[in-house]
Amino acid sequence: MSFLFIQFLNGLASASSLFLVASGLSIIFGVSRIVNFAHGSFYMLGAYMAFTLVHKLSGGTIFGFWGGVVLAAAAVAVVGALVEMILLRRIYQAPELLQLLATFGLVLIVQDLVLTIWGPEDLLGPRAPGLRGAIDIFGQSFPQYDFVLIILGPVVLGLLWLLFHRTRWGTLIRAATQDREMVAALGVNQSWLFTSVFTLGAFLAGLGGAVQLPREAVNHVMDLQIITEAFVIVVIGGLGSVLGAFLAAVIIGELNAFGILIFPQLTLVLTFLVMAVILVVRPWGLLGKPEGVVRGGAGAERPIKPLSPTGRNATVALLVALLALPMISGNYGLSVASEVLIYTLFAASLHFMMGTGGMVSFGHAAYFGLGSYGAALTVKYFGVPMLAALVAGPAVAGIAALVFGWFCVRLSGVYLAMLTLAFAQIAYAVVFQWSSFTGGDNGLIGIWPAPWAASPTAFYYLSLLLCGGGIVAVRRITFAPFGYTLRACRDSALRADSIGIDLARHRWYGFTLAGFFAGIAGSLYAFLKGSVFPDTISIATSVDALVMVLLGGVQTLAGPIVGAATYKILHVSISSYTDQWRTALGVIIIVLVVAFPMGIVGFIQNRLLRSGRVEDAA
Amino acid sequence: MKLEAHNLNAFYGRAQILFDVGLKADTGEVVALIGRNGAGKSTTFKSLVGLVTARTGQLVFNGTDISGLPVHDIVRLGLGYVPEDRRIFTDLTVEENLDVGTQPARAGAPSWTKERLFELFPNLAGMRNRGAGRMSGGEQQMLTIARSLMGNPSLIMLDEPSEGLAPKIVEDMANAILTMKDQGLAVLISEQNLHFAKMISDRAYIIEKGRICFDGTMAELSNNDEVRNTYLAV
């Protein structure tokens, strides 16, 4: 009994820190509509800065410790303000997803920065002066410091409430959360509002990281770890709702505290399962409101058109070049080319879901990875030949997409994206933790292609055939009646509904198809590498796919192809030149987003159109 | 002249909506911009206040060129804007809605307080702390005007203020607009409802397919059957 109570308190203590981070994320999203992927980086920076500042300031005094914590949070707030003013301000007019991409660029840069400044080792912070002891509760001891944390959460909640309901700034923020254009039309300078909100959000994230110092080791992977949890909390609580974030933080904190007793291996699954259930019951989170239609400044999309004669010629030329590649390229080049092809199909499948289906996925790696594992496991356990495995892999991915999709298509926007992430994380957790079957962290090795496809040239042609065929099929579907229906559902759910289209059903099929094609890519990938690891299902892989699609441009069919090739080739070439590939990639992503807010292909099309118009006029 | 627009062209993407629109409004008059649905009334207002940024032409407000300014700067010069769809902050109370609109008093414009606005719109006085989402359409229309007046504008643009209001409320609205004019405001309204425009306006413009086709006093418009039949008959 007393033990359970202690666990309960433990849950509350960790909820506080989660709440600090999540409330900042929620506030920022509410006003600026930016899903700030870099929020975890702010948290991590807060922890590292607190580590340094607490050491510098204190000879173990109370003032030194808390001064260091607050200063660290303030420093992160300054970083946040700079990020908003230098970067985000330039891209508020860009589509939401590109903003997300830019903040992901920041994540990469901060990761390298932290490694450079503080090194790769975990750092152990000091314990809080005056709070080093433990309190005896029903015969169990509980750290004093954790009590402070338990109180900190509600205190911050109260302060935020006062800020939002008792100050003019707070009133403006709440108004802007609802209709920021109208706030501007009442004479309020939005940029100032946005900067201040972002600063506050960064401060809260930094504080959340800093107060963790006495509780856990500071490390350089805490950013992605916390951002996933913070996303989950924000989505469960309802985007933009601070009180919702608090409730959700308590739920998740307690779930972790008790889940670890019951399913020590599956806490992650439990978290995401709860989120999935809550989202299905309450699609906008506990205290959220239905999302208004927030269109970016990008204006109406151009309809996707079939290839022009020029496009057709270019495609044929590309195909000829690809067919001829083995004559000029060595084995290494061919294996890189196979990988690019596989990623292109992967990106095209995500693009089908996002661009054609209008369903953004943060967890598309699930289907890629399950395709890999599906193929590898059938080889491993049934000893089937490669071709059979290449059927089994996509089938597994397709079935997973069928099941996950049934839940996901009931939501829309960011909520849908988060639910896809949740399912991907569940898949990841299962694969990672069920090591007797999947090999866990060690993966499955020895998944080699059949002898006839073993040479790099043969495998390259196989990849070209399957991936090229897959891309053609995806295109074909886009221009089939089913594709038109999907695009109708994307462009106006209401109108599609009122002309008798079963929205959920069509989106469900679209979702499943996208998963199936990602599965083809994943199965090939297993044979290309000769092995599969849980990485193939990780967030990083999902983000890779997103980056590829967004780089190329969501609104064009050629986008994912150009994007995947650009991204993969950049990735390979940068990592061979420098250790700081994350920084380089991050900077490149940010520059591309700022320079080409419509993606590379979108940019080229716009240029072509514009020059076309000038000619018309002349 | 309080507000002057010359050769105003506006675009949505590549489609041109307004063609060389010119209009003026001065202190102490109510000017009506009359036209059918889709004629370009709302776009004219949005272009003037800077919500439609793809626009060209000379826009001078209070002697300042406003054609390149962002929305909030234009509004802070004293140009109030009340959108057609009201856009009340439904998550906020009535008073909080007024707080969002509050700007410092400025010379040459009537200065408003909450109390004075509650006199102008007595219906609002009893619901200061009510959530703005729980108000009738007419009350919301009053609130959205009051909210803009809190910015102490010297000119206020009302986009279809009588739309969707009960006859009794339309009368109240007309009186409120005349009071604003008497207080020394320039008032620019857009209307489809000629009857309402006649009750309050001194001058009128007719807009059709993005072009101004008539410019004259309200009396001239009333006497010109041809113009009325061409542009306003349904």
Side-chain angles (χ1 to χ4, degrees):
Chain A
M1 179 60 217
S2 61
F3 175 71
L4 289 183
F5 187 66
I6 292 289
Q7 274 315 95
F8 173 71
L9 291 180
N10 261 327
L12 285 184
S14 46
S16 277
S17 191
L18 288 174
F19 164 65
L20 289 180
V21 182
S23 61
L25 189 66
S26 194
I27 297 167
I28 289 176
F29 176 83
V31 175
S32 67
R33 298 279 142 184
I34 283 190
V35 178
N36 180 28
F37 230 109
H39 215 67
S41 308
F42 290 154
Y43 169 86
M44 180 167 73
L45 275 180
Y48 274 106
M49 283 190 185
F51 175 84
T52 301
L53 286 169
V54 167
H55 269 287
K56 284 242 158 69
L57 283 178
S58 76
T61 63
I62 292 181
F63 170 78
F65 177 82
W66 290 105
V69 165
V70 173
L71 268 182
V76 175
V78 172
V79 173
L82 290 176
V83 163
E84 200 280 339
M85 289 192 280
I86 296 170
L87 171 64
L88 299 180
R89 204 168 269 192
R90 293 173 205 283
I91 56 171
Y92 282 126
Q93 296 304 315
E96 260 178 54
L97 279 168
L98 281 188
Q99 300 169 344
L100 182 108
L101 191 58
T103 60
F104 183 71
L106 284 175
V107 171
L108 294 174
I109 295 173
V110 171
Q111 279 179 347
D112 262 358
L113 200 69
V114 163
L115 280 174
T116 311
I117 298 178
W118 285 283
E121 283 84 33
D122 287 10
L123 302 176
L124 274 175
R127 286 195 287 171
L131 299 167
R132 292 201 172 97
I135 301 167
D136 192 74
I137 302 173
F138 304 135
Q140 305 260 351
S141 64
F142 186 74
Q144 286 172 331
Y145 183 77
D146 286 12
F147 264 112
V148 175
L149 282 188
I150 291 178
I151 298 161
L152 184 67
V155 166
V156 170
L157 176 67
L159 288 176
L160 285 175
W161 190 88
L162 286 176
L163 188 63
F164 282 120
H165 289 84
R166 290 289 176 267
T167 67
R168 174 172 156 80
W169 183 83
T171 309
L172 292 180
I173 293 297
R174 282 187 297 139
T177 301
Q178 201 183 343
D179 186 346
R180 61 191 196 199
E181 192 183 63
M182 193 60 227
V183 171
L186 290 168
V188 177
N189 185 349
Q190 287 193 72
S191 13
W192 172 79
L193 212 55
F194 283 22
T195 309
S196 58
V197 161
F198 210 81
T199 309
L200 174 66
F203 178 85
L204 290 170
L207 188 63
V211 295
Q212 284 296 359
L213 197 56
R215 291 189 91 214
E216 58 176 318
V218 183
N219 63 69
H220 61 99
V221 293
M222 58 202 296
D223 54 348
L224 285 182
Q225 201 180 319
I226 194 86
I227 193 68
T228 323
E229 270 184 301
F231 273 155
V232 169
I233 288 168
V234 168
V235 166
I236 291 182
L239 290 169
S241 165
V242 174
L243 183 60
F246 182 79
L247 293 177
V250 171
I251 292 174
I252 295 299
E254 292 302 340
L255 208 61
N256 284 339
F258 285 101
I260 213 157
L261 302 177
I262 307 162
F263 310 106
Q265 297 300 309
L266 291 177
T267 48
L268 201 58
V269 177
L270 211 57
T271 303
F272 284 97
L273 221 51
V274 166
M275 168 164 134
V277 169
I278 287 179
L279 283 187
V280 167
V281 179
R282 287 192 60 95
W284 294 282
L286 292 174
L287 298 181
K289 297 210 173 71
E291 252 182 301
V293 181
V294 184
R295 300 285 297 208
E301 288 177 19
R302 267 191 305 277
I304 299 170
K305 287 205 185 101
L307 276 180
S308 62
T310 330
R312 231 173 258 274
N313 293 341
T315 312
V316 171
L318 179 67
L319 193 62
V320 170
L322 286 175
L323 283 171
L325 189 69
M327 301 181 192
I328 51 168
S329 173
N331 285 349
Y332 175 71
L334 283 179
S335 99
V336 170
S338 302
E339 195 170 335
V340 170
L341 283 172
I342 290 169
Y343 269 88
T344 306
L345 177 61
F346 181 32
S349 73
L350 176 61
H351 176 268
F352 178 70
M353 193 163 148
M354 286 170 61
T356 309
M359 298 174 282
V360 176
S361 170
F362 288 176
H364 207 52
Y367 314 106
F368 184 78
L370 288 175
S372 287
Y373 271 94
L377 287 170
T378 41
V379 168
K380 203 85 192 158
Y381 288 95
F382 302 109
V384 299
M386 180 177 80
L387 282 182
L390 285 180
V391 174
V396 169
I399 291 169
L402 196 70
V403 176
F404 297 164
W406 188 87
F407 295 94
C408 294
V409 298
R410 266 138 244 277
L411 309 180
S412 60
V414 181
Y415 288 94
L416 187 152
M418 295 312 304
L419 195 57
T420 57
L421 175 63
F423 282 120
Q425 288 301 98
I426 291 174
Y428 176 81
V430 168
V431 164
F432 189 84
Q433 289 168 341
W434 194 2
S435 46
S436 59
F437 183 56
T438 62
D441 202 13
N442 297 321
L444 295 170
I445 50 173
I447 317 297
W448 295 112
W452 59 268
S455 82
T457 308
F459 196 83
Y460 168 77
Y461 279 125
L462 179 70
S463 307
L464 186 58
L465 178 72
L466 287 181
C467 296
I471 290 167
V472 170
V474 168
R475 266 194 87 96
R476 183 70 197 83
I477 295 170
T478 304
F479 290 107
F482 174 70
Y484 291 139
T485 312
L486 266 186
R487 280 144 74 184
C489 297
R490 172 198 70 188
D491 289 343
S492 176
L494 206 61
R495 249 173 265 174
D497 213 5
S498 63
I499 57 172
I501 294 174
D502 187 341
L503 269 162
R505 178 173 295 267
H506 283 91
R507 297 174 76 195
W508 187 30
Y509 294 160
F511 194 105
T512 307
L513 272 174
F516 174 77
F517 283 111
I520 298 180
S523 316
L524 271 175
Y525 191 74
F527 285 104
L528 173 74
K529 295 289 171 187
S531 55
V532 277
F533 295 99
D535 279 358
T536 52
I537 316 182
S538 66
I539 297 180
T541 308
S542 292
V543 170
D544 277 351
L546 263 180
V547 171
M548 289 185 271
V549 170
L550 294 173
L551 266 187
V554 181
Q555 289 141 19
T556 61
L557 286 179
I561 301 170
V562 174
T566 312
Y567 181 75
K568 224 35 211 182
I569 290 167
L570 272 179
H571 197 305
V572 171
S573 46
I574 294 172
S575 29
S576 62
Y577 285 119
T578 165
D579 290 342
Q580 307 255 329
W581 66 270
R582 285 193 206 86
T583 304
L585 201 60
V587 169
I588 289 171
I589 289 176
I590 289 174
V591 168
L592 284 175
V593 169
V594 172
F596 308 118
M598 306 299 294
I600 298 173
V601 176
F603 173 77
I604 295 171
Q605 280 190 344
N606 269 339
R607 288 301 288 263
L608 289 177
L609 269 178
R610 239 175 252 157
S611 60
R613 195 172 67 159
V614 172
E615 276 160 28
D616 287 350
Chain B
M1 201 48 64
K2 196 83 212 168
L3 172 72
E4 276 186 75
H6 294 290
N7 298 324
L8 172 60
N9 294 292
F11 306 84
Y12 286 139
R14 294 208 279 157
Q16 185 165 3
I17 307 300
L18 298 183
F19 300 85
D20 293 329
V21 166
L23 51 78
K24 295 176 185 178
D26 209 352
T27 306
E29 65 171 352
V30 176
V31 178
L33 180 64
I34 304 172
R36 293 190 182 109
N37 242 343
K41 303 184 295 293
S42 295
T43 305
T44 304
F45 280 13
K46 285 183 182 169
S47 305
L48 289 170
V49 78
L51 284 173
V52 170
T53 49
R55 66 199 204 279
T56 62
Q58 294 90 55
L59 309 178
V60 180
F61 176 70
N62 243 354
T64 310
D65 175 11
I66 56 169
S67 52
L69 294 182
V71 184
H72 66 267
D73 281 340
I74 295 177
V75 174
R76 281 185 187 187
L77 287 172
L79 195 159
Y81 166 68
V82 176
E84 181 184 5
D85 44 1
R86 295 167 191 155
R87 296 172 81 164
I88 288 296
F89 303 116
T90 48
D91 291 348
L92 274 56
T93 64
V94 168
E95 269 201 76
E96 284 172 338
N97 266 278
L98 297 179
D99 288 337
V100 176
T102 304
Q103 295 287 333
R106 63 171 58 80
S111 117
W112 299 90
T113 60
K114 284 180 196 167
E115 298 315 318
R116 285 195 59 204
L117 285 168
F118 289 139
E119 277 170 36
L120 185 65
F121 300 113
N123 287 357
L124 298 181
M127 44 181 83
R128 289 162 166 258
N129 293 315
R130 181 183 294 188
R134 299 187 295 118
M135 299 171 85
S136 72
E139 289 158 354
Q140 290 198 352
Q141 185 68 51
M142 306 285 176
L143 177 58
T144 180
I145 294 175
R147 185 177 64 178
S148 283
L149 288 175
M150 283 302 284
N152 299 312
S154 56
L155 179 147
I156 190 162
M157 298 194 295
L158 309 174
D159 199 354
E160 304 217 24
S162 76
E163 194 194 20
L165 300 186
K168 168 75 181 74
I169 311 288
V170 170
E171 217 170 283
D172 292 349
M173 182 62 68
N175 288 329
I177 290 174
L178 289 174
T179 310
M180 289 181 226
K181 168 184 152 177
D182 293 341
Q183 296 279 337
L185 267 165
V187 182
L188 184 57
I189 65 166
S190 80
E191 265 306 327
Q192 304 192 44
N193 177 348
L194 186 61
H195 173 70
F196 181 76
K198 262 194 210 165
M199 290 200 309
I200 53 171
S201 315
D202 303 294
R203 289 194 300 113
Y205 295 91
I206 290 179
I207 186 168
E208 171 77 9
K209 292 183 182 162
R211 291 186 168 84
I212 298 288
C213 337
F214 172 87
D215 165 10
T217 64
M218 205 64 223
E220 283 166 5
L221 178 60
S222 299
N223 295 327
N224 191 334
D225 291 340
E226 196 199 326
V227 167
R228 272 187 299 139
N229 289 334
T230 313
Y231 298 114
L232 301 177
V234 181

